[in-house]
Amino acid sequence: VLVGLSRDDLIGLYEYYMVKRAPGRKVYDSIMLNAKDVCPYCGGIGRPRNMDHFLPKKKYPQFSVLPLNLVPSCRDCNMEGKGSGHSNLPGEGIIHPYLDADQFFYDHWIYAEIVFSDDEPTLVEYSADPPSGWSDDDRARAFSHFDKFDIAARYSREAGPRAEVYMDQIRSVMLDAGINQDEAKSVILPSSLKNCFSVNHWERVLIEALVSSDLP
């Protein structure tokens, strides 16, 4: 692969001299710490416990210890979502959480709809809808990322119980202060919105859905 180094040599360089031994282990630990206990693939649903090779080391061993190719990830994203596969087709890849175009992180493309039920817990359904101004390949890649990491189901599991909490708080404020629903939402929700930094964070999207919904 490189002068004097085979694929096995380069993979071993990562597995033995970066994961297990100094001084490479210091680089490994630094990358993990910089994730701040937030998996960048799923937006913090999981906590990083594995190091993912964005370009799989078996296929691209020359990047086995390249820091820009190493992404801290939770087990679900690393083992069940991304796995060891990688597509070279423009519309089938996933989003690189550190190096990709700004639009993936600053444009709103994940949305939620709240389904209310008298008999069942509140359901929050998430969907992807990238802006029409994006290229066809970028839109396809956003859908691919959303599907491969099972974002809809994982966000929904987090959002359902949180939606119930917010709705209970809104109803309590309405009752105690004698104000209408919109006024109660303005008391409860904006302060929470400020704590969600990403425009596509599951909780921020949930709050926006609550703002635009008529609560039962």
Side-chain angles (χ1 to χ4, degrees), residues 35-71:
K36 302 186 186 303
D37 225 18
V38 173
C39 175
Y41 283 132
C42 61
I45 293 293
R47 301 172 65 185
R49 291 296 179 266
N50 305 97
M51 190 74 78
D52 174 61
H53 286 76
F54 187 81
L55 296 176
K57 61 181 180 294
K58 289 186 178 180
K59 189 172 183 179
Y60 300 93
Q62 63 269 40
F63 303 132
S64 65
V65 295
L66 182 68
L68 291 178
N69 193 43
L70 302 178
V71 180

Side-chain angles (χ1 to χ4, degrees), residues 156-176:
S156 182
R157 285 194 293 269
E158 297 290 326
R162 187 65 57 87
E164 296 280 3
V165 170
Y166 281 134
M167 290 190 296
D168 286 345
Q169 292 174 338
I170 291 168
R171 295 185 186 108
S172 179
V173 169
M174 290 173 63
L175 182 63
D176 293 343

Side-chain angles (χ1 to χ4, degrees), residues 98-155:
Y98 303 136
L99 302 178
D100 238 308
D102 287 347
Q103 63 190 18
F104 291 111
F105 311 106
Y106 297 114
D107 289 357
H108 192 183
W109 61 275
I110 296 179
Y111 297 87
E113 180 180 356
I114 303 176
V115 180
F116 302 104
S117 173
D118 294 332
D119 303 323
E120 300 291 338
T122 298
L123 175 65
V124 185
E125 296 181 340
Y126 286 84
S127 60
D129 186 17
S132 58
W134 287 14
S135 70
D136 290 343
D137 286 341
D138 284 347
R139 283 175 53 83
R141 202 147 56 92
F143 283 120
S144 177
H145 188 101
F146 190 84
D147 291 340
K148 286 182 178 179
F149 292 112
D150 199 20
I151 297 296
R154 295 171 70 189
Y155 276 23

Side-chain angles (χ1 to χ4, degrees), residues 64-80:
S64 65
V65 295
L66 182 68
L68 291 178
N69 193 43
L70 302 178
V71 180
S73 64
C74 66
R75 185 189 180 283
D76 287 344
C77 286
N78 188 31
M79 304 299 291
E80 298 178 14

Side-chain angles (χ1 to χ4, degrees), residues 162 166 188-198 201 203-204 207:
R162 187 65 57 87
Y166 281 134
I188 297 298
L189 299 178
S191 60
S192 300
L193 190 61
K194 293 176 183 177
N195 296 325
C196 305
F197 299 110
S198 169
H201 187 278
E203 188 168 5
R204 182 168 187 150
I207 291 171

